[in-house]
């Protein structure tokens, strides 16, 4: 090879290397200051809205495993330790310090549920072709799809100060659902880098889903392609709004749902009526109702009862502590004797040191009969093979109405002052004290 040509090739290689180094030296500061990350839906909302909820470092459940912290104190009433809502059934909850109470439960609680389209199986031999081909929507939970526990739900409420700065007005609230998702190959690597540049070293790639809180108008339903369909929840069927068009295909694959997946919004005009152990209409002053809760409007748990039961649950590497969030409560109380709540028939939450000035009363309707869902760890969506379900059935089969099932927690129905008329709403908050107005014996009535 000609020596001059070789020299030219070396010079060209050196030049390319120098050029690349120069470009990198220029780009690195730019990337640090202005990282090349795509905007997320939450990035837009933060300009006009504020995310509701208590951050983990300030959680009122930080010391939930301390027996001393939550033990009864002579002369003092039990108190509300924490409040939690679950806007999307079976997904992550949002801890609050205060909440409105409506006949259907806490504000924003269980407005949505995921459902899968199931075929009628098994079918009778003499079923018609139409019966054999008919599919039905059925709600899903962590019992079947444990990864629902990893779907984070953020509630964004309009912030008046932020809106003023933007010269805007809005009363709209939104939910953002987030779930982990990483593509294979270079796309996955790029999304990982983007996530860490945008949200910190521990961040992982996610997909976001934006949902309006307010029930859509007739025009919005038509424009967005939503439709009313029947969905089965336990043994009930409710007509609700199918918003499956808002779901990305990746969510179905992430959850492991093989059937068609949909998201249903409860219609506030078609709430499910509650009977069984709930107070009758003449007693409550209205017909008790609920949204996508399992059976009753609210669920109460006593931390002393959780701690007492936890002592009887075998622990291993997969189950080191029994987090109260496994049991999906709305109201978490502290300072009561273990299992004392099982004798409560009516309670009144009084202001205490909550900062509120109102009382709020609840009918304590029945015990909570447990399924296997508490076996799923809410922190990571991993299902324990046996606990605490096995111990619940062995140690907590305490209700003659459900002799083969374990029970833990109490179901509540809100009671309102008759002077409110049809405008039934109240407030509750952390720090309220619990006054037991009536005690009695509970017998669960099956659906």
């Amino acid at each position: 090879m000609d020596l001059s040509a070789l020299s030219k090739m070396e010079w060209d290689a050196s030049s390319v290397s120098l050029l690349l180094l120069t470009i990198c030296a220029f780009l690195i500061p730019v990337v640090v200051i202005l990282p090349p990350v795509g905007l997320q839906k939450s990035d837009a909302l933060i300009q006009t809205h504020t995310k509701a909820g208590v951050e983990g470092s300030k959680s009122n459940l930080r010391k939930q495993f301390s027996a001393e912290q939550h033990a009864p104190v002579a002369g003092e009433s039990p108190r509300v330790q924490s409040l939690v809502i679950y806007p999307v059934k079976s997904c992550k909850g949002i801890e609050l310090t205060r909440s409105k109470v409506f006949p259907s439960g806490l504000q924003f609680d269980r407005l949505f549920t995921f459902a899968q389209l199931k075929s009628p199986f098994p079918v009778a031999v003499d079923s018609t072709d139409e019966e054999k081909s008919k599919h039905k929507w059925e709600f899903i939970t962590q019992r079947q799809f444990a990864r629902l526990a990893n779907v984070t739900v953020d509630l964004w409420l309009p912030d008046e100060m932020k809106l003023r700065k933007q010269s805007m007005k809005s009363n709209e609230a939104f939910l953002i659902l987030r779930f982990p998702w990483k593509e294979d190959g270079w796309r996955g690597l790029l999304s990982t880098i983007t996530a860490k540049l945008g949200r910190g070293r521990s961040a992982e790639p996610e997909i976001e889903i934006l949902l309006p809180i307010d029930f859509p108008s007739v025009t919005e339903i038509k424009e967005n392609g939503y439709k009313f369909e029947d969905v089965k929840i336990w043994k009930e069927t409710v007509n609700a709004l199918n918003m499956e068009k808002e779901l990305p295909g990746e969510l179905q694959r992430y959850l492991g749902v093989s059937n068609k997946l949909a998201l249903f919004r409860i219609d506030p005009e078609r709430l499910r009526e509650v009977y069984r152990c709930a107070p009758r209409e003449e007693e409550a002053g209205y017909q008790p109702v609920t949204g996508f809760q399992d059976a009753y409007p609210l669920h109460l748990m006593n931390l002393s009862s959780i701690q007492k039961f936890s002592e009887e649950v075998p622990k291993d590497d997969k189950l080191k502590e029994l987090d109260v969030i496994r049991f999906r409560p709305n109201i978490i109380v502290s300072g009561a004797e273990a299992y004392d709540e099982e004798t409560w028939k009516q309670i009144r939450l009084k202001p205490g040191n909550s900062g509120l000035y109102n009382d709020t009363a609840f009918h304590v309707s029945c015990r909570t009969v447990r399924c296997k869902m508490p076996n799923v760890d809410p922190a990571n969506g991993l299902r324990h093979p046996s606990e605490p379900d096995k111990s619940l059935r062995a140690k907590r089969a305490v209700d003659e109405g459900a002799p083969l099932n374990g029970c833990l927690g109490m179901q509540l129905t809100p009671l309102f002052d008759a002077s409110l008329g049809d405008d039934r709403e109240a407030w509750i908050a952390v720090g309220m004290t619990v006054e037991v107005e009536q005690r009695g014996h509970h017998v669960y009535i099956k659906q």
Side-chain angles (χ1 to χ4, degrees):
M1 179 181 291
D2 187 87
L3 290 177
S4 62
L6 182 61
S7 175
K8 186 176 181 180
M9 287 179 63
E10 290 176 352
W11 184 89
D12 288 344
S14 300
S15 299
V16 170
S17 299
L18 181 61
L19 179 61
L20 289 174
L21 286 172
T22 303
I23 292 171
C24 288
F26 173 76
L27 287 178
I28 286 173
V30 176
V31 169
V32 171
I33 297 171
L34 298 170
V37 296
L39 285 176
Q40 295 184 298
K41 296 175 177 67
S42 51
D43 294 324
L45 279 178
I46 203 170
Q47 304 301 318
T48 54
H49 289 63
T50 295
K51 188 165 71 169
V54 180
E55 295 297 329
S57 61
K58 298 179 181 179
S59 170
N60 289 304
L61 296 174
R62 294 191 313 279
K63 299 180 180 179
Q64 64 166 297
F65 305 117
S66 168
E68 181 181 352
Q69 187 84 12
H70 304 292
V73 177
E76 293 187 12
S77 299
R79 61 195 176 276
V80 176
Q81 183 68 28
S82 181
L83 300 172
V84 188
I85 56 171
Y86 310 87
V88 183
K89 190 176 182 67
S90 235
C91 297
K92 283 188 183 298
I94 301 171
E95 185 181 356
L96 304 173
T97 56
R98 59 175 58 190
S99 175
K100 278 186 179 181
V101 182
F102 295 114
S104 58
L106 296 188
Q107 187 177 25
F108 307 121
D109 190 46
R110 273 90 168 192
L111 297 177
F112 295 87
T113 186
F114 287 109
Q116 61 176 332
L117 192 62
K118 297 191 73 174
S119 58
F121 181 82
V123 293
V125 176
D126 57 352
S127 296
T128 65
D129 290 341
E130 182 180 357
E131 290 173 333
K132 290 177 182 178
S133 63
K134 192 172 183 180
H135 289 65
K136 294 181 180 178
W137 290 106
E138 290 188 13
F139 83 118
I140 62 172
T141 72
Q142 293 176 29
R143 292 175 303 116
Q144 311 109 306
F145 303 103
R147 281 188 172 184
L148 281 167
N150 296 333
V151 178
T152 299
V153 180
D154 297 327
L155 171 62
W156 291 85
L157 301 175
D159 187 310
E160 188 174 348
M161 294 298 292
K162 290 181 179 180
L163 287 163
R164 279 183 191 171
K165 289 179 181 179
Q166 302 286 342
S167 299
M168 297 172 62
K169 291 184 178 181
S170 175
N171 293 319
E172 285 188 285
F174 295 92
L175 292 181
I176 288 186
L177 279 57
R178 298 183 283 115
F179 64 96
W181 184 261
K182 180 180 176 182
E183 298 282 359
D184 294 332
W186 66 268
R187 287 188 179 87
L189 177 61
L190 181 61
S191 63
T192 299
I193 294 171
T194 299
K196 294 184 183 302
L197 285 173
R199 304 195 306 277
R201 293 175 59 185
S202 62
E204 295 296 335
E206 294 178 322
I207 291 179
E208 290 188 345
I209 305 168
L210 177 68
L211 299 171
I213 285 286
D214 290 341
F215 194 78
S217 66
V218 173
T219 301
E220 290 168 333
I221 290 172
K222 185 176 180 179
E223 289 177 349
N224 290 290
Y226 305 152
K227 54 185 176 180
F228 286 96
E229 293 191 81
D230 288 343
V231 58
K232 187 178 180 183
I233 174 166
W234 298 112
K235 294 182 179 181
E236 292 182 65
T237 298
V238 59
N239 192 252
L241 189 63
N242 184 343
M243 299 173 64
E244 65 181 281
K245 291 186 178 295
E246 302 296 340
L247 301 183
E250 292 89 346
L251 179 59
Q252 183 175 353
R253 300 199 293 276
Y254 174 74
L255 296 177
V257 181
S258 57
N259 296 318
K260 191 175 183 180
L261 181 69
L263 179 70
F264 280 84
R265 169 61 157 94
I266 193 72
D267 183 345
E269 300 298 322
R270 306 180 191 185
L271 296 171
R272 299 155 57 211
E273 294 186 349
V274 181
Y275 297 97
R276 296 196 285 164
C277 300
R280 297 294 174 260
E281 183 174 355
E282 56 272 19
E283 179 185 350
Y286 72 100
Q287 173 56 53
V289 291
T290 192
F292 283 131
Q293 291 87 342
D294 277 351
Y296 295 84
L298 293 101
H299 181 211
L300 178 144
M301 296 288 292
N302 174 5
L303 285 174
S304 294
S305 301
I306 287 280
Q307 292 170 353
K308 183 72 173 176
F309 170 65
S310 182
E311 294 173 0
E312 302 185 90
V313 179
K315 306 298 191 302
D316 55 29
D317 290 341
K318 296 179 181 178
L319 180 60
K320 296 181 179 180
E321 298 281 4
L322 207 56
D323 189 334
V324 67
I325 298 300
R326 284 179 180 262
F327 299 90
R328 314 286 288 181
N330 295 119
I331 302 175
I332 301 166
V333 299
S334 174
E337 295 284 354
Y339 305 128
D340 187 53
E341 70 276 15
E342 296 189 342
T343 69
W344 302 349
K345 295 292 283 186
Q346 184 168 309
I347 59 173
R348 182 173 297 275
L349 300 187
K350 309 199 82 169
N353 62 5
S354 67
L356 298 181
Y357 298 96
N358 64 281
D359 294 358
T360 303
F362 294 91
H363 178 274
V364 184
S365 301
C366 64
R367 293 183 177 90
T368 304
V369 176
R370 311 302 331 192
C371 62
K372 292 186 178 182
M373 187 167 153
N375 286 16
V376 177
D377 187 339
N380 54 31
L382 298 178
R383 181 185 287 109
H384 193 279
S386 59
E387 295 293 351
D389 177 65
K390 184 177 179 180
S391 295
L392 280 165
R393 293 174 183 273
K395 309 289 185 180
R396 293 292 304 153
V398 295
D399 195 305
E400 60 196 85
L404 302 178
N405 300 96
C407 299
L408 196 61
M410 303 301 291
Q411 299 290 317
L412 307 182
T413 304
L415 302 173
F416 300 94
D417 193 306
S419 64
L420 294 173
D422 291 334
D423 298 324
R424 298 181 183 91
E425 65 176 64
W427 281 91
I428 59 173
V430 169
M432 295 185 88
T433 56
V434 182
E435 179 182 289
V436 182
E437 294 188 325
Q438 295 178 27
R439 292 181 182 267
H441 181 62
H442 285 282
V443 178
Y444 182 77
I445 299 175
K446 293 183 179 181
Q447 195 171 33

Short mmCIF file of all heavy atoms in Angstrom, two decimals, residues 184-216:
data_model
loop_
_atom_site.label_atom_id
_atom_site.label_comp_id
_atom_site.label_asym_id
_atom_site.label_seq_id
_atom_site.Cartn_x
_atom_site.Cartn_y
_atom_site.Cartn_z
N ASP A 184 -38.11 -4.79 24.65
CA ASP A 184 -36.87 -5.55 24.43
C ASP A 184 -35.90 -4.73 23.57
O ASP A 184 -36.29 -3.83 22.83
CB ASP A 184 -37.19 -6.87 23.73
CG ASP A 184 -38.01 -7.81 24.61
OD1 ASP A 184 -37.88 -7.71 25.84
OD2 ASP A 184 -38.78 -8.62 24.06
N GLY A 185 -34.63 -5.09 23.68
CA GLY A 185 -33.62 -4.51 22.79
C GLY A 185 -33.28 -3.07 23.09
O GLY A 185 -33.41 -2.59 24.22
N TRP A 186 -32.88 -2.34 22.04
CA TRP A 186 -32.39 -0.97 22.20
C TRP A 186 -33.49 -0.02 22.68
O TRP A 186 -33.21 0.96 23.37
CB TRP A 186 -31.76 -0.47 20.89
CG TRP A 186 -32.72 -0.30 19.75
CD1 TRP A 186 -33.04 -1.22 18.80
CD2 TRP A 186 -33.48 0.87 19.45
NE1 TRP A 186 -33.96 -0.71 17.92
CE2 TRP A 186 -34.25 0.59 18.29
CE3 TRP A 186 -33.59 2.13 20.03
CZ2 TRP A 186 -35.11 1.51 17.72
CZ3 TRP A 186 -34.45 3.06 19.47
CH2 TRP A 186 -35.20 2.75 18.33
N ARG A 187 -34.75 -0.32 22.33
CA ARG A 187 -35.83 0.55 22.79
C ARG A 187 -35.96 0.49 24.32
O ARG A 187 -36.19 1.52 24.98
CB ARG A 187 -37.16 0.13 22.14
CG ARG A 187 -37.28 0.49 20.67
CD ARG A 187 -38.69 0.22 20.17
NE ARG A 187 -38.85 0.57 18.76
CZ ARG A 187 -38.59 -0.23 17.75
NH1 ARG A 187 -38.14 -1.46 17.99
NH2 ARG A 187 -38.75 0.18 16.51
N GLY A 188 -35.78 -0.71 24.86
CA GLY A 188 -35.83 -0.86 26.32
C GLY A 188 -34.68 -0.14 26.99
O GLY A 188 -34.85 0.49 28.04
N LEU A 189 -33.49 -0.24 26.40
CA LEU A 189 -32.33 0.45 26.95
C LEU A 189 -32.54 1.96 26.92
O LEU A 189 -32.27 2.66 27.91
CB LEU A 189 -31.08 0.08 26.14
CG LEU A 189 -29.77 0.78 26.57
CD1 LEU A 189 -29.43 0.43 28.01
CD2 LEU A 189 -28.64 0.40 25.62
N LEU A 190 -33.08 2.46 25.80
CA LEU A 190 -33.33 3.89 25.67
C LEU A 190 -34.36 4.37 26.69
O LEU A 190 -34.19 5.43 27.32
CB LEU A 190 -33.81 4.22 24.26
CG LEU A 190 -34.10 5.70 23.96
CD1 LEU A 190 -32.84 6.53 24.15
CD2 LEU A 190 -34.64 5.86 22.54
N SER A 191 -35.43 3.59 26.89
CA SER A 191 -36.47 3.99 27.85
C SER A 191 -35.93 3.97 29.28
O SER A 191 -36.33 4.81 30.10
CB SER A 191 -37.69 3.08 27.73
OG SER A 191 -37.37 1.73 28.07
N THR A 192 -35.01 3.03 29.58
CA THR A 192 -34.40 2.98 30.90
C THR A 192 -33.55 4.22 31.15
O THR A 192 -33.63 4.86 32.21
CB THR A 192 -33.54 1.72 31.06
OG1 THR A 192 -34.37 0.57 30.91
CG2 THR A 192 -32.89 1.67 32.43
N ILE A 193 -32.73 4.58 30.16
CA ILE A 193 -31.89 5.77 30.28
C ILE A 193 -32.75 7.02 30.44
O ILE A 193 -32.49 7.88 31.30
CB ILE A 193 -30.96 5.90 29.05
CG1 ILE A 193 -29.96 4.74 29.03
CG2 ILE A 193 -30.24 7.24 29.06
CD1 ILE A 193 -29.16 4.66 27.75
N THR A 194 -33.80 7.11 29.64
CA THR A 194 -34.70 8.26 29.69
C THR A 194 -35.35 8.39 31.07
O THR A 194 -35.45 9.48 31.63
CB THR A 194 -35.79 8.14 28.61
OG1 THR A 194 -35.17 8.10 27.32
CG2 THR A 194 -36.76 9.30 28.67
N ALA A 195 -35.81 7.25 31.63
CA ALA A 195 -36.45 7.27 32.94
C ALA A 195 -35.49 7.75 34.03
O ALA A 195 -35.85 8.57 34.87
CB ALA A 195 -36.97 5.87 33.28
N LYS A 196 -34.26 7.25 33.99
CA LYS A 196 -33.29 7.62 35.02
C LYS A 196 -32.84 9.08 34.88
O LYS A 196 -32.62 9.77 35.89
CB LYS A 196 -32.09 6.67 34.96
CG LYS A 196 -32.46 5.23 35.34
CD LYS A 196 -31.27 4.32 35.38
CE LYS A 196 -31.67 2.87 35.70
NZ LYS A 196 -32.37 2.73 36.97
N LEU A 197 -32.72 9.56 33.66
CA LEU A 197 -32.37 10.96 33.46
C LEU A 197 -33.48 11.89 33.93
O LEU A 197 -33.22 12.95 34.50
CB LEU A 197 -32.08 11.22 31.97
CG LEU A 197 -30.75 10.70 31.42
CD1 LEU A 197 -30.70 10.89 29.91
CD2 LEU A 197 -29.57 11.42 32.08
N GLY A 198 -34.71 11.46 33.72
CA GLY A 198 -35.85 12.31 34.06
C GLY A 198 -36.31 12.23 35.50
O GLY A 198 -36.73 13.23 36.08
N ARG A 199 -36.19 11.02 36.14
CA ARG A 199 -36.79 10.85 37.47
C ARG A 199 -35.82 10.31 38.52
O ARG A 199 -36.24 9.99 39.63
CB ARG A 199 -38.01 9.92 37.38
CG ARG A 199 -39.07 10.39 36.40
CD ARG A 199 -40.38 9.68 36.59
NE ARG A 199 -40.27 8.24 36.57
CZ ARG A 199 -40.24 7.50 35.47
NH1 ARG A 199 -40.30 8.09 34.29
NH2 ARG A 199 -40.14 6.19 35.53
N GLY A 200 -34.54 10.18 38.18
CA GLY A 200 -33.57 9.73 39.17
C GLY A 200 -33.05 8.33 38.91
O GLY A 200 -33.60 7.57 38.12
N ARG A 201 -31.96 7.99 39.61
CA ARG A 201 -31.24 6.73 39.36
C ARG A 201 -32.08 5.49 39.60
O ARG A 201 -31.88 4.46 38.96
CB ARG A 201 -29.99 6.67 40.26
CG ARG A 201 -28.94 7.71 39.90
CD ARG A 201 -27.80 7.68 40.88
NE ARG A 201 -27.15 6.37 40.91
CZ ARG A 201 -26.17 6.06 41.75
NH1 ARG A 201 -25.76 6.94 42.64
NH2 ARG A 201 -25.63 4.85 41.71
N SER A 202 -33.02 5.56 40.54
CA SER A 202 -33.82 4.37 40.87
C SER A 202 -35.03 4.19 39.96
O SER A 202 -35.74 3.19 40.04
CB SER A 202 -34.29 4.43 42.33
OG SER A 202 -35.13 5.58 42.51
N ALA A 203 -35.29 5.17 39.09
CA ALA A 203 -36.49 5.12 38.24
C ALA A 203 -36.38 4.04 37.18
O ALA A 203 -35.31 3.72 36.69
CB ALA A 203 -36.70 6.48 37.58
N GLU A 204 -37.54 3.46 36.86
CA GLU A 204 -37.65 2.46 35.81
C GLU A 204 -38.67 2.93 34.78
O GLU A 204 -39.54 3.74 35.08
CB GLU A 204 -38.08 1.11 36.39
CG GLU A 204 -37.06 0.48 37.35
CD GLU A 204 -35.74 0.13 36.67
OE1 GLU A 204 -35.75 -0.09 35.44
OE2 GLU A 204 -34.71 0.08 37.36
N PRO A 205 -38.59 2.42 33.56
CA PRO A 205 -39.54 2.85 32.52
C PRO A 205 -40.99 2.53 32.91
O PRO A 205 -41.27 1.48 33.49
CB PRO A 205 -39.13 2.04 31.29
CG PRO A 205 -37.75 1.55 31.57
CD PRO A 205 -37.62 1.44 33.05
N GLU A 206 -41.88 3.45 32.59
CA GLU A 206 -43.30 3.29 32.90
C GLU A 206 -44.14 3.79 31.74
O GLU A 206 -43.69 4.60 30.93
CB GLU A 206 -43.69 4.10 34.14
CG GLU A 206 -43.07 3.65 35.43
CD GLU A 206 -43.49 4.53 36.59
OE1 GLU A 206 -43.62 5.76 36.40
OE2 GLU A 206 -43.69 4.00 37.69
N ILE A 207 -45.38 3.30 31.70
CA ILE A 207 -46.38 3.84 30.79
C ILE A 207 -47.46 4.48 31.64
O ILE A 207 -47.87 3.93 32.67
CB ILE A 207 -46.97 2.74 29.89
CG1 ILE A 207 -45.91 2.25 28.89
CG2 ILE A 207 -48.20 3.25 29.13
CD1 ILE A 207 -46.38 1.15 27.98
N GLU A 208 -47.92 5.67 31.22
CA GLU A 208 -48.95 6.39 31.95
C GLU A 208 -50.28 6.37 31.20
O GLU A 208 -50.31 6.38 29.97
CB GLU A 208 -48.54 7.85 32.17
CG GLU A 208 -47.40 8.03 33.15
CD GLU A 208 -47.16 9.50 33.48
OE1 GLU A 208 -47.66 10.38 32.75
OE2 GLU A 208 -46.46 9.75 34.48
N ILE A 209 -51.36 6.34 31.99
CA ILE A 209 -52.72 6.42 31.44
C ILE A 209 -53.43 7.57 32.14
O ILE A 209 -53.50 7.59 33.38
CB ILE A 209 -53.50 5.11 31.67
CG1 ILE A 209 -52.74 3.90 31.11
CG2 ILE A 209 -54.90 5.20 31.06
CD1 ILE A 209 -53.31 2.57 31.55
N LEU A 210 -53.95 8.52 31.39
CA LEU A 210 -54.65 9.67 31.96
C LEU A 210 -56.16 9.44 31.91
O LEU A 210 -56.71 9.11 30.86
CB LEU A 210 -54.29 10.94 31.18
CG LEU A 210 -55.00 12.23 31.60
CD1 LEU A 210 -54.53 12.67 32.99
CD2 LEU A 210 -54.75 13.34 30.59
N LEU A 211 -56.83 9.61 33.06
CA LEU A 211 -58.28 9.40 33.15
C LEU A 211 -58.94 10.58 33.83
O LEU A 211 -58.44 11.07 34.86
CB LEU A 211 -58.60 8.13 33.95
CG LEU A 211 -58.08 6.80 33.43
CD1 LEU A 211 -58.32 5.71 34.47
CD2 LEU A 211 -58.74 6.44 32.11
N PRO A 212 -60.07 11.06 33.31
CA PRO A 212 -60.82 12.12 34.00
C PRO A 212 -61.56 11.53 35.20
O PRO A 212 -62.05 10.39 35.15
CB PRO A 212 -61.79 12.61 32.93
CG PRO A 212 -62.01 11.41 32.06
CD PRO A 212 -60.71 10.65 32.05
N ILE A 213 -61.64 12.30 36.27
CA ILE A 213 -62.40 11.87 37.45
C ILE A 213 -63.90 12.04 37.24
O ILE A 213 -64.71 11.17 37.55
CB ILE A 213 -61.96 12.66 38.69
CG1 ILE A 213 -60.59 12.16 39.19
CG2 ILE A 213 -62.99 12.54 39.80
CD1 ILE A 213 -60.62 10.84 39.89
N ASP A 214 -64.28 13.19 36.71
CA ASP A 214 -65.71 13.46 36.51
C ASP A 214 -66.30 12.47 35.51
O ASP A 214 -65.65 12.11 34.52
CB ASP A 214 -65.92 14.88 35.98
CG ASP A 214 -65.60 15.93 37.04
OD1 ASP A 214 -65.58 15.58 38.23
OD2 ASP A 214 -65.36 17.10 36.66
N PHE A 215 -67.54 12.06 35.79
CA PHE A 215 -68.20 11.14 34.87
C PHE A 215 -68.45 11.87 33.55
O PHE A 215 -68.95 13.00 33.53
CB PHE A 215 -69.52 10.65 35.46
CG PHE A 215 -70.09 9.48 34.75
CD1 PHE A 215 -69.57 8.21 34.96
CD2 PHE A 215 -71.14 9.63 33.84
CE1 PHE A 215 -70.09 7.11 34.29
CE2 PHE A 215 -71.65 8.54 33.17
CZ PHE A 215 -71.12 7.27 33.40
N PRO A 216 -68.10 11.25 32.42
CA PRO A 216 -68.21 11.95 31.12
C PRO A 216 -69.65 12.33 30.76
O PRO A 216 -70.60 11.64 31.15
CB PRO A 216 -67.66 10.92 30.13
CG PRO A 216 -66.89 9.94 30.95
CD PRO A 216 -67.55 9.90 32.29
#
